[in-house]
Every structure is written in C-alpha cells, then in structure tokens.
Amino acid sequence: MDASPTPTPTDALASTIASINTLVAELGEDPVDPGKISLATGIPVDRVLALLDGKDDGREPLSERELFTERLNFLRKTRLRDDGKERRLEEIAEGTNLYRQKISNILKGEGVLTYEDTTQIAIYFGVDINFFNRGDRDALNEALQPYLSQLQLAAVARAVGISGIVLRGTGEGTSDTGALRDVVIAALSSKAPEKEADTEITRVVRSLTPQGGAALLPVARQLLEHEQRTASGKEGRRPSGKRHPE
C-alpha cells in the first residue's frame, strides 16, 4: 500500500471548513459570517462564499505587489471615514508620513514599495502587515481559526454539562482560556474523582478534530492542574494567628 501523500497547504482550508460545518450542524450554531470574514481578510464577500463552498474561480495567483494593491484598495473602500466616504489620498499620506503621489502610485500598483511603506500603511489602517501578503486560501483559513476554536470549546462545554457558551463573531481574534477554565471547574465540581475528571476532559477534547485536540488539550490540562492545586491548597490551609516578637 502506498504511503499517504503529504497534505498540501490548500488541504488546511478544506479541513477547517469541514470541521466547522460538522460542529455547526451538531451544535446548532450560526454558520460563518462571510461579511466579517471579508473585512478581516480583504477577500471580497463573493469570493469568501465561493471558497467556503469549496469552489475556486481558477484565477492565476497574484504577485506580491498585485496582492498588496488589491488589499490596499479593499481597505480604502471598506475602512471609510465617519461621514461614510473613502479616505482622501491627502489623509492617507498624512497618516502614513508618505507623499500623496506615492500613495496614488501604490494604489495603482506603480512605483517602489518598501517594507517601511507597508508597515506605515498597515498601522494607519489598523491591520497586521500579513494582511497584505497572505493569499486568499491561507488568509481565509487563518481567519476561520478563532471560530473553529470557539465551536470546539462549545462542544467540550456541552460534553461536561455546561450550556450557554457564547460564541464571538468570526474574524475577531479571541482567547478562549476563560471559558475553558469554566469547563474544567465544572468537571472538578462534579462527583467524579480528579483522575476521572482529567480522563473525561482528555477524552472529550480528543474526540474533536485533530486541530482542536492539539490546541485545547494542553490548555485544559494546565487549567485542570491549576484548579486541583488551588483546591488542595484551600483544604490544607489553616488560619494562623499573627505572632509578635517578645
């Protein structure tokens, strides 16, 4: 039997989408919000929808400069001023300490673009510098990870009897440690011995997708150990009076 082929980078997105679809169906949660994903990645909504459906428009990969120009124009059209209008070139130039003509050239994909230019523009629009150089599939896969993590957390919570875990909007980086801590405490609060609580949490987390197990299990174990130490410390602590020197 031939060895399994090494997964290609594009397989990561397909795996993430499959995991999300499975958990959404099991948990009854809302599907991915393509509008939020679009804003987070710079990928147009129609292309986000196509990629989520496993389709590809077959367009040739963009060069780094072409991708930068496309994402920058996307930012200008979506990060509007308070009055709902696009930012003027003069405003962008002033906010980035670049010349107006250079901004104009960059928006058209012309002229020299340095790393410092990219950094200043990223800071001005409030995005990570990778916003400009990460391809559509990689950008979408990265943006879906917080939502996948939240779905996996909700599955763990349900398995140990917690309901009401609120999933946050897709495309927003969040930390699930606080909610996972609640899951661990709930397991410890049950009548099961500590060893059984550890075993149950391990079983539940490992029953998720490989990505979920790898990401959540170490955190769950650390939190479990911390809560066990805290509980033991409280039980063994005795009030002591203050001693004064004679």
Side-chain angles (χ1 to χ4, degrees):
M1 182 181 293
D2 295 335
S4 300
T6 302
T8 61
T10 54
D11 289 338
L13 176 60
S15 175
T16 296
I17 292 173
S19 298
I20 287 176
N21 289 340
T22 298
L23 289 169
V24 163
E26 290 179 357
L27 298 170
E29 296 289 346
D30 293 330
V32 171
D33 185 333
K36 288 183 178 180
I37 287 291
S38 176
L39 288 174
T41 60
I43 306 171
V45 173
D46 58 345
R47 181 157 173 75
V48 170
L49 290 170
L51 290 171
L52 289 175
D53 286 340
K55 302 173 184 176
D56 204 322
D57 57 15
R59 72 171 181 172
E60 292 295 323
L62 301 178
S63 68
E64 289 185 7
R65 186 58 187 273
E66 290 171 334
L67 183 59
F68 181 91
T69 300
E70 181 178 276
R71 296 282 166 81
L72 179 56
N73 277 286
F74 177 91
L75 286 174
R76 195 179 179 209
K77 292 176 181 178
T78 57
R79 270 59 165 185
L80 305 175
R81 302 186 319 189
D82 292 339
D83 61 5
K85 297 181 180 180
E86 290 186 9
R87 299 171 191 268
R88 299 192 305 271
L89 297 184
E90 292 82 2
E91 292 175 308
I92 301 175
E94 181 179 354
T96 57
N97 292 318
L98 299 174
Y99 290 112
R100 179 192 182 284
Q101 187 57 49
K102 182 158 194 174
I103 295 296
S104 177
N105 290 339
I106 291 174
L107 285 166
K108 292 184 289 187
E110 301 173 355
V112 177
L113 177 67
T114 67
Y115 179 81
E116 289 73 19
D117 297 337
T118 304
T119 300
Q120 289 299 320
I121 293 172
I123 292 173
Y124 176 74
F125 281 103
V127 297
D128 186 271
I129 196 170
N130 289 325
F131 180 91
F132 297 107
N133 57 33
R134 189 179 285 130
D136 287 353
R137 294 188 68 87
D138 289 339
L140 179 56
N141 184 58
E142 182 74 16
L144 290 173
Q145 294 311 307
Y147 188 53
L148 175 57
S149 177
Q150 291 158 22
L151 286 169
Q152 291 164 342
L153 173 61
V156 174
R158 177 174 294 185
V160 296
I162 291 181
S163 60
I165 293 290
V166 178
L167 302 186
R168 302 177 184 179
T170 312
E172 301 172 1
T174 59
S175 171
D176 296 320
T177 304
L180 184 56
R181 182 175 181 275
D182 293 339
V183 173
V184 173
I185 291 175
L188 287 173
S189 299
S190 67
K191 296 182 180 179
E194 293 177 356
K195 178 108 177 147
E196 291 183 17
D198 187 5
T199 302
E200 176 63 11
I201 289 177
T202 300
R203 184 193 66 75
V204 170
V205 175
R206 281 181 173 165
S207 71
L208 301 174
T209 66
Q211 289 175 316
L216 291 177
L217 187 54
V219 180
R221 282 177 171 164
Q222 290 175 10
L223 291 171
L224 181 62
E225 291 171 2
H226 172 75
E227 294 303 325
Q228 289 172 345
R229 287 196 302 270
T230 301
S232 298
K234 288 179 179 178
E235 291 175 2
R237 194 177 301 131
R238 295 288 183 272
S240 59
K242 190 182 228 178
R243 298 187 62 182
H244 298 277
E246 296 181 359

